Amino acid sequence: MTTGLNDSALRLPPLSLYVHIPWCVRKCPYCDFNSHAVATGVGGREADGGRSAYGLPEAAYVEQLRRDLQSQLPWVQGRRLCSIFFGGGTPSLFSPASIGEILETAEKMVGFAQDIEITLEANPGTFEQEKFSGYRAVGVNRLSIGVQSFDQRQLKNLGRIHSGEEAEAALGMARRAGFDNINLDLMHALPGQTEAQALADLERAVSLGPEHISWYQLTIEPNTAFYSAPPTVPGSGLVAAMQASGREYLAAQGYARYEVSAYSRAGMASRHNLNYWSFGDYLGIGAGAHGKVTLPDQGRILRSRRTRAPHHYLTAASPDLIATGLAPPQSDPVAPEDLPLEFLMNALRLVGGVPSDSFSRYTGLPLTALKRQWPLLQAMDLVQPLEGHIAATPFGFDYLDEILQRFLEQC
C-alpha cells in the first residue's frame, strides 16, 4: 500500500498549454490520435465567412478555444506558460491569423514566460512560404514538421499527401520564414523497410540540418486502418538492428538522445516535451484535449479531458456558466496509490531521468513510496540508485515496460 499523500509536500510544477486542432486533409492509416479528415473538395479557396480554406469552422473553433481556456483559469494558480504546443490533426490547416488570435488570448489570460517555446505541428502538404512567415510573425518560434519518411513508396504506404521533395522544400521555406528551431518527425520499422532504408531516411533528414529529430517506431494501434488490415512490418530482430544503427548514426551527427524517441542538438531539446515527461502541469484545450493539473491546497492532482467529437466540442455549453459559455473539462483525481506509476511512466522516458526530490514535490508522496520495488530493480541493473536522480540505467532504458510492470503490480 502506498504511503498517503502529504499535502504540505505537494508543489506546483511549471505550466504548459496544449491546443488540439482535430482536422487533417486525410486520416493516415496508422493514426490513433483524435483527428478527422476534412470534407473532400473543399480546399483551394480563401477563408470566407469564418471558415478556413478547407471549409472548417475556424472562427467558431477559435472562439470555443477561448472559452475553454477561460474555464480553466482557476487551475493556473499564478503561473505563466513555459510552453505552448499546437497539435492535431494538422494545426497548419488554420490560418496564421487564427493561430495568432489563440496566442494573444493565452498571453492575456495566463501570461507567457520570457523564454516561452511555442510549437506548431505542420505537414509538408499543407503550407506555403507566406503561411510560414505568418506563423512566425504571430509568435510561433518552433515548427514540428511531420515528414515520417522521404521514401515515396513508404509515404504511399503511410497514406501521406506529400513527397520527399516537398518535405525538403518545406524545411527550406521554414528557414526563409525565420525559424531557427525545427523538429522533423520520422518513423522507422515501416512495412517492408530494411535497415539501410531506415538509415537513408535519417541521413536525408540530418542533411537538412534540423535542430531536433523525433524518430519513432511504427506501432499498430487499435481503432486504426492498419489495425483492421495490418501491414507486414519488420521483425523484432531487424527493428533492434535498425534502432541500434540509427542511434549510433544520430549520436555521431551531434544529435543526443534525451527521451525514448527524441534527439536534439545541444540545448535544443523540446521544452514542452521536457515539462511533460518531468510530470509538469499542462492545460489542454480543444476537442479531445487532455490536461494534468496540480492543486496543492486540495492535496490533489487532476487529469482532465474534453469531448472528442469536434461538433460536440463546438456546441458544448453550460447554462450555469453564462460568463464562459463552457464548463471546466471533465476531470478525475489521480489516486495516491497510482501516483508512483504515473510519475515513472513519464520520468523514466528521459535518458537522464529527473531529480529525486521532484518525486515528493510533484506527487506529495515520500521517496519511500518507490523503495519497495527499487532495490530489486537496481540489483537487476535496470535502474540507478535513488540518490540524486530517478532514472533507468542504459541497460534498463530498453526495458522500461518491465520496470513499470513492477509498479503496476504494486498499485
Side-chain angles (χ1 to χ4, degrees):
M1 184 69 178
T2 301
T3 306
L5 187 148
N6 180 357
D7 298 3
S8 63
L10 194 59
R11 296 289 184 268
L12 280 174
L15 181 68
S16 296
L17 173 66
Y18 175 76
V19 184
H20 192 76
I21 297 178
W23 294 282
C24 54
V25 175
R26 179 192 297 171
K27 180 80 170 181
C28 297
Y30 59 84
C31 179
D32 68 334
F33 296 143
N34 184 37
S35 59
H36 305 263
V38 299
T40 57
V42 297
R45 59 186 178 83
E46 296 299 321
D48 178 41
R51 304 184 73 84
S52 76
Y54 286 88
L56 300 174
E58 188 166 323
Y61 194 80
V62 170
E63 173 60 20
Q64 198 72 325
L65 288 173
R66 183 194 66 78
R67 294 172 178 169
D68 198 348
L69 182 59
Q70 186 174 0
S71 75
Q72 299 184 46
L73 291 182
W75 291 342
V76 173
Q77 302 170 93
R79 291 171 290 182
R80 292 178 177 269
L81 295 172
C82 66
S83 68
I84 299 175
F85 194 100
F86 289 88
T90 305
S92 54
L93 294 181
F94 271 27
S95 68
S98 289
I99 299 299
E101 188 176 342
I102 297 166
L103 291 176
E104 183 179 359
T105 295
E107 186 169 22
K108 286 180 178 178
M109 286 188 178
V110 184
F112 290 175
Q114 187 173 0
D115 59 348
I116 187 171
E117 174 192 272
I118 302 174
T119 302
L120 180 87
E121 285 187 337
N123 285 333
T126 62
F127 46 64
E128 60 279 341
Q129 176 72 45
E130 183 179 355
K131 208 171 187 183
F132 266 5
S133 299
Y135 293 137
R136 188 69 189 91
V138 298
V140 177
N141 55 26
R142 183 175 183 269
L143 282 180
S144 182
I145 303 177
V147 175
Q148 314 311 351
S149 178
F150 293 95
D151 184 320
Q152 193 58 43
R153 180 176 65 88
Q154 294 294 357
L155 289 170
K156 182 177 180 181
N157 288 337
L158 296 173
R160 307 297 289 172
I161 61 172
H162 66 271
S163 66
E165 290 71 24
E166 286 174 320
E168 289 186 344
L171 193 136
M173 291 178 192
R175 292 296 191 206
R176 291 190 292 274
F179 284 96
D180 57 7
N181 192 356
I182 298 174
N183 169 64
L184 294 186
D185 271 350
L186 281 178
M187 302 174 77
H188 63 275
L190 304 178
Q193 190 177 48
T194 66
E195 182 179 346
Q197 289 168 342
L199 280 175
D201 265 347
L202 278 179
E203 290 168 357
R204 196 162 172 185
V206 168
S207 72
L208 299 175
E211 286 69 32
H212 191 285
I213 295 176
S214 298
W215 189 55
Y216 53 97
Q217 180 181 346
L218 169 66
T219 55
I220 309 301
E221 303 289 353
N223 302 315
T224 65
F226 273 179
Y227 189 80
S228 301
T232 301
V233 295
S236 58
L238 178 53
V239 172
M242 66 174 63
Q243 288 177 343
S245 57
R247 291 167 189 163
E248 182 180 352
Y249 172 74
L250 286 169
Q253 299 301 313
Y255 290 89
R257 186 188 191 195
Y258 70 93
E259 189 265 340
V260 170
S261 304
Y263 303 77
S264 74
R265 300 284 194 191
M268 302 305 290
S270 167
R271 296 178 196 169
H272 191 86
N273 289 353
L274 287 174
N275 186 50
Y276 183 91
W277 299 123
S278 299
F279 213 54
D281 280 359
Y282 56 99
L283 305 176
I285 61 174
H290 289 245
K292 176 250 173 184
V293 291
T294 304
L295 304 175
D297 60 334
Q298 300 178 27
R300 297 196 300 165
I301 294 173
L302 303 180
R303 293 285 188 186
S304 67
R305 58 191 179 278
R306 279 293 186 202
T307 182
R308 291 173 59 86
H311 172 71
H312 292 159
Y313 178 78
L314 283 165
T315 57
S318 175
D320 61 339
L321 286 174
I322 304 301
T324 66
L326 200 65
Q330 183 176 349
S331 60
D332 300 297
V334 181
E337 59 267 23
D338 294 335
L339 280 170
L341 178 63
E342 289 252 354
F343 184 90
L344 293 175
M345 285 175 64
N346 292 273
L348 291 182
R349 290 182 62 96
L350 294 171
V351 172
V354 297
S356 297
D357 61 1
S358 67
F359 179 76
S360 293
R361 285 189 287 112
Y362 295 164
T363 67
L365 297 172
L367 197 57
T368 52
L370 298 179
K371 290 186 175 179
R372 178 179 169 185
Q373 299 290 347
W374 212 262
L376 177 59
L377 294 169
Q378 190 176 332
M380 298 167 66
D381 193 32
L382 294 174
V383 297
Q384 299 179 18
L386 281 177
E387 295 81 15
H389 276 73
I390 297 172
T393 62
F395 171 73
F397 201 67
D398 290 330
Y399 296 93
L400 294 182
D401 288 345
E402 286 78 358
I403 297 172
L404 295 173
Q405 183 63 35
R406 295 277 181 173
F407 289 90
L408 179 61
E409 293 167 356
Q410 178 179 314
C411 293

